[in-house]
């Protein structure tokens, strides 16, 4: 049986101080008091740095409404879809910008979806004779009014996001909003996603080859290659900048 002196000797104040380190050690004399104050100041400084880093990375826990930065998102927002660069590359407009299903107007979120068709000129020599290209362009604009979309945007569009079990490989687009990613999706065209304050904008382009009308209904032996998705990337970025500017002045 262990006596009380043995307990005190084993787990007393001396051993406790060794376990928790110098930050909790009391100064033994007047000469060590300054040393203890120095350690205390250093500890406070480290704690302040850690706290500031955490606030910068994760926020301070206070919910704030995101900055709309002058964006206006409503039923008239599709008029901002001018797409001058893409139209010049493909050929001509098939129709005017139109609203697509999925519009939301809510105290927490406004969302509009728009679409526009582009087609190559009938006499264009860019593609094989008897063929033309049709490009479907979609635009989605979401204005978050209560919550900051930054974390959700990065999770959904960033490098860590997954599609059908395969890792995405988005390309970071510099100098476009707060954050922008460009992604070529197999069989679905190209998607350009932009975060700018409280707004998330997504521009999609998918192109397909169309066969000119003829008397024969036989399937062609070969289908010509359509335009490479990469050929639209610069135009998408240019048109996205224009859309963003127009949505702020609408």
């Amino acid at each position: 049986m262990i006596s009380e002196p043995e307990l005190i000797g084993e787990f007393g104040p001396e051993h406790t101080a060794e376990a928790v380190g110098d930050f909790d050690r009391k100064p033994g004399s007047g000469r060590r008091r300054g040393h203890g104050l120095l350690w205390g100041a250093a500890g406070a400084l480290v704690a302040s740095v850690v706290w500031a880093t955490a606030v910068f990375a994760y926020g301070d826990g206070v919910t704030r409404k995101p900055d709309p930065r002058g964006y206006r998102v409503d039923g008239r927002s599709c008029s901002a879809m001018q797409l001058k660069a893409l139209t010049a590359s493909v050929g001509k407009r098939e129709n005017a910008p139109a609203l697509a299903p999925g519009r939301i107007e809510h105290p927490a979120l406004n969302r509009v979806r728009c679409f526009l068709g582009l087609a190559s000129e009938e006499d264009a020599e860019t593609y094989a004779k008897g063929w033309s290209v049709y490009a479907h362009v979609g635009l989605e604009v979401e204005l978050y009014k209560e919550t900051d979309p930054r974390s959700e945007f990065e999770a959904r569009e960033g490098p860590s996001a997954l599609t059908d079990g395969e890792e995405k490989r988005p390309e970071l687009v510099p100098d476009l909003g707060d954050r922008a990613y460009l992604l070529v999706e197999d069989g679905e065209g190209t998607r350009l996603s932009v975060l700018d304050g409280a707004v998330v904008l997504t521009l999609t382009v998918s192109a397909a080859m169309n066969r000119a009308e003829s008397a024969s209904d036989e399937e062609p032996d070969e289908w010509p290659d359509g335009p490479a998705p990469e050929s639209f990337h610069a135009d998408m970025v240019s048109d996205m900048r224009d859309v963003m500017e127009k949505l702020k002045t609408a």
Side-chain angles (χ1 to χ4, degrees):
M1 181 173 181
I2 302 175
S3 63
E4 290 185 3
E6 291 176 339
L7 285 172
I8 295 173
E10 186 68 23
F11 300 103
E14 182 179 352
H15 285 269
T16 302
E18 291 292 338
V20 298
D22 289 335
F23 288 103
D24 290 336
R25 189 187 298 276
K26 296 181 180 179
S29 65
R31 295 181 60 186
R32 294 177 56 84
R33 184 176 301 275
H35 181 73
L37 291 174
L38 179 61
W39 273 111
L45 178 61
V46 171
S48 298
V49 172
V50 171
W51 177 84
T53 303
V55 169
F56 178 80
Y58 304 106
D60 56 7
V62 178
T63 302
R64 297 184 178 89
K65 292 186 178 181
D67 183 2
R69 297 186 182 175
Y71 281 99
R72 180 176 178 177
V73 179
D74 55 29
R76 295 172 292 178
S77 296
C78 291
S79 62
M81 200 177 178
Q82 297 299 308
L83 307 182
K84 295 180 181 179
L86 283 168
T87 301
S89 293
V90 177
K92 62 180 181 179
R93 287 190 182 192
E94 284 279 279
N95 53 271
L99 274 170
R103 178 181 170 187
I104 296 175
E105 288 192 11
H106 185 273
L109 174 70
N110 278 17
R111 182 180 71 188
V112 293
R113 290 172 173 169
C114 317
F115 67 91
L116 175 67
L118 304 174
S120 60
E121 299 286 352
E122 295 179 1
D123 298 329
E125 299 180 356
T126 307
Y127 306 102
K129 186 176 181 180
W131 294 86
S132 63
V133 65
Y134 176 82
H136 181 276
V137 186
L139 174 68
E140 179 180 86
V141 186
E142 298 173 304
L143 173 61
Y144 290 76
K145 295 182 280 186
E146 294 294 335
T147 59
D148 195 316
R150 287 179 297 176
S151 298
E152 179 183 338
F153 177 83
E154 191 65 26
R156 187 174 60 190
E157 306 295 341
S160 61
L162 301 176
T163 299
D164 296 332
E166 296 182 1
E167 185 177 354
K168 288 183 177 181
R169 299 187 181 278
E171 176 185 350
L172 184 64
V173 181
D175 303 323
L176 183 61
D178 295 331
R179 198 77 167 175
Y181 292 105
L182 187 64
L183 176 66
V184 177
E185 300 177 301
D186 293 339
E188 299 183 12
T190 303
R191 184 172 81 243
L192 174 61
S193 303
V194 180
L195 170 70
D196 192 25
V199 171
V200 175
L201 307 99
T202 305
L203 184 66
T204 58
V205 177
S206 58
M209 297 303 297
N210 286 339
R211 188 183 178 194
E213 295 181 3
S214 64
S216 175
D217 293 332
E218 296 180 1
E219 285 291 325
D221 295 332
E222 294 183 3
W223 288 70
D225 294 331
E230 291 77 11
S231 65
F232 296 127
H233 287 183
D235 295 330
M236 292 179 70
V237 172
S238 177
D239 284 339
M240 178 63 88
R241 293 187 193 279
D242 185 60
V243 167
M244 294 167 68
E245 182 178 351
K246 284 181 168 56
L247 286 175
K248 289 182 179 181
T249 58

